[in-house]
Amino acid sequence: MRELNVVISGFDHYDGVEVNPAVEVPKAIAEQGLGVSSAPDDPLEQVAVTVHAVSIPVSFAKAWPTLKETIEATKPNIVIATGLKHAARGVMLERCATNLMDAIKPDADNVIPRREPIDPNGPAAYWTRLPLRSILNDFTDDSIPATLSSDAGTFVCNSLFYNLLNWTATQERVLGGFVSFPPVVPAHSSQHGLPLDQQIAAGRDVVREAVRYYLKPSS
């Protein structure tokens, strides 16, 4: 049986956030796995997927080195970074990482970069390597509210996303992308967000479709 490694990262702390989906979702998937497919011809049935979760600081200087350390230790085929968008109503699939740091609040190191490139020699932007349309189709089947997001902003989430795609561009075959989760709220809540179990299900859908796409790339 073929073996694939997947790394899922999440930021380790957000001020005022009691339950952080960017920690809980990667942790749950790494501990509980992807579940059993109901389709006998699913390519997932022919591969053993190991998921590694890592929590990283909300730091421009430390986020990517922390993720890269796990990448170097595990040699993943797929890397999915995650974060939290406080105003999101559902899961947001990030399409583009831009070569820009422009913060209006300090990161964990009390750094506030203003209109600075992430890589002065890098391209203006990178597009995700994840199969977003297939993931959205799974979300629809599982009744998970979600949308495509044009970019991941200009704070640490975007910086990590850009560095990840900058690195995957030098690799022979590694998929990379970024997913933003909404706040965790109770079921049937009127507040913006989703219950944690629904967000874990969304994370599993992202990993499953990324693995299927890795095994059988399509346009």
Side-chain angles (χ1 to χ4, degrees), residues 5 10 19 33 48 50 58 70 72 76 82 85 92 99 122 130 149 166 176 190 194 201 214-215:
N5 276 337
V19 181
T50 300
V58 185
T70 298
E72 291 172 346
T82 74
K85 275 193 175 178
M92 303 188 75
N99 191 3
L130 299 180
S149 172
N166 199 33
S190 60
L194 294 173
Y214 187 91
L215 295 171

Side-chain angles (χ1 to χ4, degrees), residues 9 31 37 90 107 120 155 159 202:
S9 73
E31 292 178 351
S37 172
D107 68 0
F155 198 51
S159 181

